[in-house]
Amino acid sequence: MAEVVIVESPAAAGALVADQIARLIAGRPDAVLGLATGSTPLPLYQALQTRLADVDVSQVRGFALDEYVGIDIEHPESYRSVITREVVEPLGLDPERIRVPNGSLDGIEHAGADYEAAIDAAGGIDLQILGIGTDGHIGFNEQGSSFASRTRIKTLTEQTRADNARFFDSIDDVPMHCITQGLGTILRARHLVLLAFGEGKAQAVAEAVEGPVSAFCPGSAIQLHEHVTVVVDEAAASRLKLADYYRHSYANKPAWQGL
Ligand code: F6R
């Protein structure tokens, strides 16, 4: 079962997970982080700026979850640009050590296999940061994605394109395809940390954490992993049947265990 931690605000979630990442880097200076984009991880990235200010992060490595296919890499909403702007520059990471799937049409046939090889060569991902879509997707693994899938091209659903239209001038500008770590790729990371905030994510969180394990809710794949931490605010936790148990169990958790 995933550990569910219910916090009072996105900022509190960011601080909690930033502490865990700082501990990870203290023990392993070349730790490999899995990096999500979107709105959800922003409070975490903000908290990391403070938490890592005096930490040597020069060896830290990172792999983004996904990228749009066919988008100009210089486009402000390409995930390469977003990761550079929100993570690499503010945290002072070495850009050479941070990879994003290659969504360029040139070489797209082998971009997935190349990305998998790069993750393997890095020794795998230590801590994978995840958000969740309103339809339950993680990464860009839309409903029906195989639990064994690896990094590959996917077609975005119209719901995801509509959700992401806020980053573009109109929904027509949101790319139709993406390249994303697969559910099988995500499940190979050593620790999954899924963040979700707001009422709009409550149903997806409930289905991912407490619903049946099903490709209908790709986020439910986390139930197959042995080390998962789900950090949610009260609104995103509002449909969890076992919320009181999660609160009780976290309140009584030995401090030495960390997340
Ligand atoms: C982003 C990603 C997606 C988002 C999800 C939620 O790299 O893989 O799964 O985490 O679409 O997006 P936000 O956080 O913007 O609500």
Coordinates of all heavy atoms in Angstrom, one line a residue, residues 35-41 65-66 79 130-133 137-140 164 166-167 201, ligand 1:
L35 N 12.1 13.8 -12.9 CA 11.5 15.1 -12.8 C 10.2 15.2 -13.5 O 10.1 14.9 -14.7 CB 12.5 16.1 -13.3 CG 13.9 16.1 -12.6 CD1 14.9 16.9 -13.4 CD2 13.7 16.7 -11.2
A36 N 9.1 15.7 -12.8 CA 7.8 15.9 -13.5 C 7.8 17.4 -13.8 O 8.4 18.2 -13.2 CB 6.7 15.5 -12.5
T37 N 6.9 17.7 -14.8 CA 6.6 19.1 -15.2 C 5.2 19.3 -14.8 O 4.6 18.6 -14.0 CB 6.9 19.3 -16.7 OG1 6.2 18.3 -17.4 CG2 8.4 19.3 -17.0
G38 N 4.6 20.4 -15.3 CA 3.2 20.7 -14.9 C 3.2 21.6 -13.7 O 4.3 22.0 -13.2
S39 N 2.0 22.0 -13.2 CA 1.9 22.9 -12.1 C 2.2 22.2 -10.7 O 2.7 22.9 -9.8 CB 0.4 23.4 -12.0 OG 0.0 24.0 -13.2
T40 N 1.9 20.9 -10.6 CA 1.9 20.3 -9.3 C 3.3 20.3 -8.6 O 3.4 20.7 -7.4 CB 1.5 18.8 -9.4 OG1 0.2 18.9 -10.0 CG2 1.4 18.2 -8.1
P41 N 4.4 20.0 -9.3 CA 5.7 20.0 -8.6 C 6.3 21.4 -8.3 O 7.3 21.4 -7.6 CB 6.6 19.2 -9.5 CG 6.0 19.3 -10.9 CD 4.5 19.6 -10.7
L65 N 10.2 13.2 -17.1 CA 9.2 12.2 -17.4 C 8.8 12.1 -18.9 O 8.6 11.1 -19.4 CB 7.9 12.4 -16.6 CG 7.7 11.8 -15.2 CD1 6.5 12.4 -14.6 CD2 7.7 10.3 -15.3
D66 N 8.7 13.3 -19.5 CA 8.1 13.3 -20.8 C 8.4 14.6 -21.6 O 9.0 15.5 -21.0 CB 6.6 13.2 -20.7 CG 6.0 13.9 -19.5 OD1 6.6 14.8 -19.0 OD2 4.9 13.5 -19.0
Y79 N 9.0 20.8 -22.7 CA 9.4 20.4 -21.3 C 10.9 20.5 -21.1 O 11.3 20.7 -20.0 CB 8.9 18.9 -21.1 CG 7.4 18.9 -20.8 CD1 6.7 17.7 -20.6 CD2 6.6 20.0 -20.7 CE1 5.4 17.6 -20.3 CE2 5.3 20.0 -20.4 CZ 4.6 18.8 -20.2 OH 3.3 18.8 -19.9
L130 N 6.2 12.5 -9.3 CA 5.0 12.4 -10.2 C 3.9 13.3 -9.8 O 3.6 13.6 -8.6 CB 4.4 11.0 -10.0 CG 5.3 9.8 -10.4 CD1 4.7 8.5 -9.9 CD2 5.5 9.7 -11.9
G131 N 3.2 13.8 -10.8 CA 1.9 14.5 -10.7 C 0.9 13.5 -11.2 O 1.3 12.3 -11.6
I132 N -0.3 13.8 -11.2 CA -1.4 12.9 -11.8 C -2.4 13.8 -12.6 O -2.8 14.9 -12.1 CB -2.0 12.1 -10.7 CG1 -3.0 11.0 -11.3 CG2 -2.8 12.9 -9.7 CD1 -3.4 9.9 -10.4
G133 N -2.8 13.3 -13.7 CA -3.8 14.0 -14.5 C -5.2 13.8 -14.0 O -5.4 12.9 -13.2
H137 N -3.8 9.9 -15.5 CA -2.5 9.6 -16.1 C -1.3 10.0 -15.2 O -1.4 10.9 -14.5 CB -2.4 10.2 -17.5 CG -2.3 11.7 -17.5 ND1 -3.2 12.5 -18.1 CD2 -1.3 12.5 -17.0 CE1 -2.8 13.8 -18.0 NE2 -1.7 13.8 -17.3
I138 N -0.3 9.2 -15.3 CA 1.0 9.6 -14.7 C 2.1 9.6 -15.9 O 2.0 8.8 -16.8 CB 1.5 8.7 -13.5 CG1 1.5 7.2 -13.9 CG2 0.6 9.0 -12.4 CD1 2.1 6.4 -12.8
G139 N 3.0 10.5 -15.8 CA 3.8 10.8 -17.0 C 2.7 11.2 -18.0 O 1.7 11.8 -17.7
F140 N 2.9 10.8 -19.3 CA 1.8 11.0 -20.2 C 1.2 9.6 -20.6 O 0.8 9.4 -21.8 CB 2.3 11.8 -21.5 CG 2.2 13.3 -21.4 CD1 3.1 14.1 -21.9 CD2 1.1 13.9 -20.8 CE1 3.0 15.4 -21.8 CE2 0.9 15.2 -20.7 CZ 1.9 16.0 -21.2
N164 N -3.9 21.1 -20.7 CA -2.7 21.7 -20.9 C -2.7 23.0 -21.8 O -1.7 23.7 -22.0 CB -1.6 20.7 -21.5 CG -1.2 19.7 -20.4 OD1 -1.8 19.7 -19.3 ND2 -0.2 18.9 -20.7
R166 N -3.9 25.7 -21.1 CA -3.6 26.9 -20.4 C -2.1 27.4 -20.6 O -1.8 28.5 -20.3 CB -3.9 26.7 -18.9 CG -3.0 25.7 -18.2 CD -3.5 25.4 -16.8 NE -2.6 24.7 -15.9 CZ -2.4 23.4 -15.9 NH1 -3.1 22.6 -16.8 NH2 -1.6 22.8 -15.1
F167 N -1.2 26.4 -21.0 CA 0.2 26.8 -21.2 C 0.4 27.3 -22.6 O 1.5 27.8 -22.9 CB 1.1 25.6 -21.0 CG 1.0 25.1 -19.5 CD1 0.5 23.8 -19.2 CD2 1.5 25.9 -18.5 CE1 0.5 23.4 -17.9 CE2 1.4 25.4 -17.2 CZ 0.9 24.2 -16.9
K201 N -8.2 17.0 -8.4 CA -7.4 15.8 -8.4 C -8.0 14.7 -7.5 O -7.5 13.6 -7.5 CB -6.0 16.1 -8.1 CG -5.3 17.0 -9.0 CD -5.1 16.4 -10.4 CE -4.5 17.4 -11.4 NZ -3.1 17.7 -11.2
Ligands
F6R1 C1 4.2 16.1 -16.3 C2 3.4 14.8 -16.3 C3 2.0 14.8 -16.1 C4 1.5 15.8 -15.1 C5 0.0 15.7 -15.0 C6 -0.6 16.7 -14.0 O1 5.6 15.8 -16.6 O2 4.0 13.8 -16.6 O3 1.6 13.5 -15.7 O4 2.0 15.5 -13.9 O5 -0.6 16.0 -16.2 O6 -0.3 18.0 -14.5 P1 -0.5 19.3 -13.5 O7 0.6 19.1 -12.4 O8 -0.2 20.5 -14.3 O9 -1.8 19.3 -13.0

